[in-house]
Amino acid sequence: MNVISFPRLGIHLNISPVAFHIGAKEIYWYALIILAGFFLGALFVTLTCEKRGIKKDTVWDVALYGLIFGIIGARIYYVLFALDEFDSLLDMLKIYNGGLAIYGGIIGAFLSTYVYCRKKKLSMLAVADVCVPGLLIGQAVGRYGNFTNAEVYGGETSSILGMSINGAAPVHPLFLYESLWNLAGLALMLAFRDKAKFKGQTFVFYIFWYSLGRLFLEGMRDPAYILYLIPGVLGISQLVAAIGVIGSVVFFVIMLKRKNGV
């Protein structure tokens, strides 16, 4: 049980990471919240996909393959950059002990979608344009899994949103910042996606927006939650985020020039 509070807001909560038990097996809020985000995102996309030329069955196929390979990718990404945490190959497979990295999940889901679209002879960019709002929904909801685990937070702060864990000094609630950032991106995406000038524009906006947010938020993290490329200097996710921002801008410019015949 963790005591999580927002002192300046007068909010004090006692939260256990465990939601309930099935026999001796603990079922964690983290897993339930991640699944809730997945289904809410997939449901939204299925309600909006057909008028954009993508069948509901396609969305559910993409979502389920994306979930499976996203988890695999998230675990592989984490393990590759935290090898010193594991004593054996068996330890690396124990996903229930924690250790997932969101960028690995995105990469895994992207690759599974690419393969699926190639096999079904579908436009990858068209499918991605329809599906990425669901990703933002899933990520906005899923971050609250970190809240129930009392993890992934930043340095100390006197902000009104400062979050105290078990009586410690208030810190930046990065889970909340990222969730709100994703919801803001979703609002912008839904407002402007019907004005897209080329196929893939909504998808590239997602890459840009999410990467931009992570670029700044990763720099605010407690070092205990950063997978470093250069210890104490540069995190892996910061580098990936920077590549995402630059790559999305380059892709946008190239596609816009191609659309305008330049």
Side-chain angles (χ1 to χ4, degrees):
M1 184 71 69
N2 292 300
V3 179
I4 302 177
S5 61
F6 295 84
R8 296 192 62 184
L9 295 176
I11 298 173
H12 303 275
L13 304 168
N14 295 319
I15 298 178
S16 170
V18 179
F20 55 88
H21 293 77
I22 298 178
K25 180 65 177 176
E26 296 175 329
I27 305 300
Y28 287 84
W29 281 115
Y30 183 90
L32 296 177
I33 291 170
I34 292 295
L35 287 174
F38 167 78
F39 283 111
L40 285 173
L43 179 61
F44 175 85
V45 175
T46 58
L47 293 174
T48 58
C49 64
E50 292 191 334
K51 67 178 182 180
R52 290 178 168 78
I54 304 298
K55 295 180 180 179
K56 291 181 179 181
D57 287 347
T58 297
V59 170
W60 281 112
D61 285 346
V62 167
L64 291 173
Y65 285 125
L67 176 64
I68 294 168
F69 288 96
I71 292 173
I72 293 172
R75 184 59 170 179
I76 291 174
Y77 186 104
Y78 183 88
V79 168
L80 286 176
F81 296 107
L83 289 172
D84 57 330
E85 295 183 13
F86 304 96
D87 296 323
S88 66
L89 179 60
L90 183 61
D91 282 343
M92 296 178 184
L93 298 176
K94 293 179 180 178
I95 195 171
Y96 49 81
N97 286 338
L100 298 174
I102 185 63
Y103 268 122
I106 293 172
I107 293 169
F110 175 83
L111 291 176
S112 69
T113 302
Y114 175 78
V115 172
Y116 177 87
C117 290
R118 286 293 299 269
K119 289 190 68 174
K120 297 292 184 178
K121 294 181 171 55
L122 298 171
S123 167
M124 167 69 186
L125 291 178
V127 171
D129 279 345
V130 171
C131 290
V132 287
L135 268 180
L136 283 176
I137 292 171
Q139 289 167 330
V141 173
R143 273 305 174 195
Y144 286 85
N146 297 126
F147 173 65
T148 61
N149 279 352
E151 62 184 6
V152 188
Y153 45 81
E156 293 185 11
T157 179
S158 59
S159 164
I160 192 172
L161 294 177
M163 176 181 69
S164 173
I165 300 174
N166 297 324
V171 294
H172 286 288
L174 298 187
F175 82 92
L176 179 60
Y177 296 169
E178 185 171 328
S179 181
L180 294 175
W181 179 260
N182 288 337
L183 289 176
L186 177 67
L188 289 172
M189 182 181 290
L190 297 181
F192 294 106
R193 66 174 174 170
D194 288 335
K195 298 179 177 66
K197 298 182 180 300
F198 57 84
K199 193 181 297 183
Q201 186 171 329
T202 303
F203 173 64
V204 80
F205 171 77
Y206 164 78
I207 297 296
F208 172 80
W209 185 262
Y210 185 72
S211 296
L212 183 64
R214 286 301 294 266
L215 183 62
F216 289 101
L217 293 176
E218 282 294 319
M220 297 173 64
R221 276 197 183 208
D222 183 292
Y225 294 103
I226 297 177
L227 296 175
Y228 280 107
L229 179 65
I230 302 175
V233 177
L234 179 65
I236 294 293
S237 291
Q238 285 178 298
L239 176 62
V240 175
I243 292 171
V245 170
I246 295 170
S248 60
V249 171
V250 170
F251 180 84
F252 179 83
V253 171
I254 290 173
M255 294 300 291
L256 195 60
K257 285 185 175 181
R258 184 177 299 176
K259 175 69 176 180
N260 294 330
V262 177

